[in-house]
Amino acid sequence: MARIRVVAILSQKGGAGKSTMTMQLAGGLARMDRRVAVLDLDSQETALRWASSAPDGKPFPARVEGLADPAGLRAALKRLAHQQDFVLIDCPPSIEHPAVLAALQEADVALIPVVPSPADLWSTKGIERLVLQAQAGRKGLRAALVPNRVVRTNLAWDVLEVMRDFSLPVLGAALSQRNAYAQSAVLGASVHQMGRAGAEAAREVNKLVVEVLKLTGEKV
């Protein structure tokens, strides 16, 4: 039996689209026949609220659980290890929260969503330093920056170019600023469940899933 893969999604500040990326990645992995669980460690409980918005008979395609105490993360992962192929950890937007530190000790991959704006780029430096410190102690930890909520403007393209000067690599996939992502949260769904309305977004998510599978060493 292949071992469970743990992916932590991190940001230093709110508004980076961390929970959106977590839930869309979960839906995309599930669509590729992976058993997926999401552990919501953020006190805002966005992932939990998202999944609970799903109508009866059409649940969110991944299991979503809340975890209030980060000290219980290792035990939760051990419990899920025989039930899931992937566990995605939606972390609080902080570089000091114990949940973030706990997630970096357990994760195989750390993803940092970055909105291509100067302010978000500056805030990314702090979370990048934290991840690099974790990598120094855990050689198997892989990490990448992921452009998120991308608007096709000259400023965004300039910021995306600057991102390549960071120490962590930039993932070869990005999520755009699309209404479908916000609408899927209202529906308690992934964009893959939205039919034609989510088709363009679903194609972006599929590319993200492929890149994450490569990071974890999984076959695509």
Side-chain angles (χ1 to χ4, degrees):
M1 179 184 296
R3 73 180 183 85
I4 195 171
R5 305 291 185 177
V6 180
V7 180
I9 297 87
L10 318 165
S11 66
Q12 185 168 342
K13 62 188 285 291
K18 173 180 55 63
S19 297
T20 296
M21 182 171 291
T22 300
M23 297 299 275
Q24 300 302 342
L25 181 57
L29 285 166
R31 188 144 180 108
M32 295 187 71
D33 297 322
R34 265 61 173 196
R35 299 171 300 167
V36 187
V38 173
L39 287 179
D40 190 348
L41 273 65
D42 191 341
S43 61
Q44 296 183 52
E45 298 186 337
T46 301
L48 275 173
R49 295 174 189 273
W50 187 315
S52 68
S53 297
D56 293 340
K58 196 174 181 181
F60 187 78
R63 177 175 179 172
V64 182
E65 299 182 7
L67 186 64
D69 184 0
L73 178 58
R74 182 166 294 180
L77 292 174
K78 185 176 181 180
R79 171 174 52 83
L80 293 168
H82 301 294
Q83 307 167 16
Q84 309 295 332
D85 301 310
F86 278 82
V87 174
L88 310 183
I89 305 175
D90 188 9
C91 297
S94 170
I95 59 172
E96 300 174 344
H97 197 288
V100 175
L101 303 177
L104 285 173
Q105 289 304 308
E106 304 297 335
D108 299 294
V109 171
L111 300 179
I112 304 173
V114 183
V115 178
S117 74
D120 285 272
L121 205 63
W122 298 329
S123 72
T124 300
K125 283 293 186 182
I127 198 74
E128 183 191 48
R129 283 194 296 271
L130 185 66
V131 171
L132 291 171
Q133 290 171 4
Q135 285 183 318
R138 296 187 63 226
K139 300 302 182 183
L141 174 62
R142 307 191 71 180
L145 308 176
V146 188
N148 196 32
R149 297 178 56 194
V150 177
V151 179
R152 309 297 172 172
T153 64
N154 289 336
L155 175 60
W157 290 121
D158 290 343
V159 173
L160 288 172
E161 284 301 314
V162 173
M163 284 175 63
R164 303 190 187 283
D165 294 331
F166 279 65
S167 297
L168 292 176
V170 179
L171 206 67
L175 300 185
S176 300
Q177 179 77 356
R178 296 183 184 275
N179 290 335
Y181 292 124
Q183 185 64 21
S184 66
V186 175
L187 299 172
S190 77
V191 290
H192 289 92
Q193 296 171 283
M194 294 176 60
R196 184 178 297 179
E200 290 295 327
R203 279 190 275 274
E204 291 182 343
V205 174
N206 289 342
K207 292 178 181 178
L208 175 62
V209 169
V210 168
E211 293 298 319
V212 172
L213 288 174
K214 290 177 182 177
L215 274 178
T216 62
E218 285 267 304
K219 292 183 179 179
V220 178

